[in-house]
Amino acid sequence: MSRCPQCGAGLPAHARFCCVCGQPTSHPVAVKITCAEAARLLSKSARTLEGWRRNRRGPPFFKPKTGRLFYLLSDVLEWKSSGRVLTRG
């Protein structure tokens, strides 16, 4: 079992986020996360993120022609810390 670099809590080997403090367990560059994981990081529901995508708001995401939609952890964390709000002009 590994330890969270932020709070020291014990983590299962497959954990991407600490269940105690919510911090990522690895360096965020190029780590793909699911919509549910992005929603949990942003304290929003997956339906809220779906609405944001439809209205071209929220963090950048990828939707490959084959496969599932995903976010990059670094993009979500950057978007969250920026406080940026996009509006339609």
Side-chain angles (χ1 to χ4, degrees):
M1 184 177 281
S2 62
R3 295 264 173 215
C4 172
Q6 185 73 20
C7 70
L11 301 169
H14 66 281
R16 291 186 188 182
F17 303 98
C18 176
C19 60
V20 175
C21 68
Q23 293 298 313
T25 58
S26 62
H27 195 273
V29 176
V31 174
K32 294 178 183 178
I33 61 172
T34 65
C35 181
E37 290 169 326
R40 190 169 43 249
L41 261 177
L42 298 169
S43 302
K44 301 293 181 190
S45 70
R47 299 274 298 182
T48 296
L49 268 67
E50 181 182 332
W52 286 354
R53 289 191 304 270
R54 189 173 42 252
N55 294 314
R56 299 181 183 266
R57 296 182 54 206
F61 65 94
F62 293 87
K63 188 172 182 183
K65 290 184 181 185
T66 57
R68 300 181 72 118
L69 178 138
F70 66 91
Y71 293 86
L72 291 181
L73 178 56
S74 57
D75 288 344
V76 173
L77 293 175
E78 180 182 335
W79 184 85
K80 181 180 179 180
S81 67
S82 75
R84 182 174 64 170
V85 176
L86 297 178
T87 58
R88 291 184 175 189

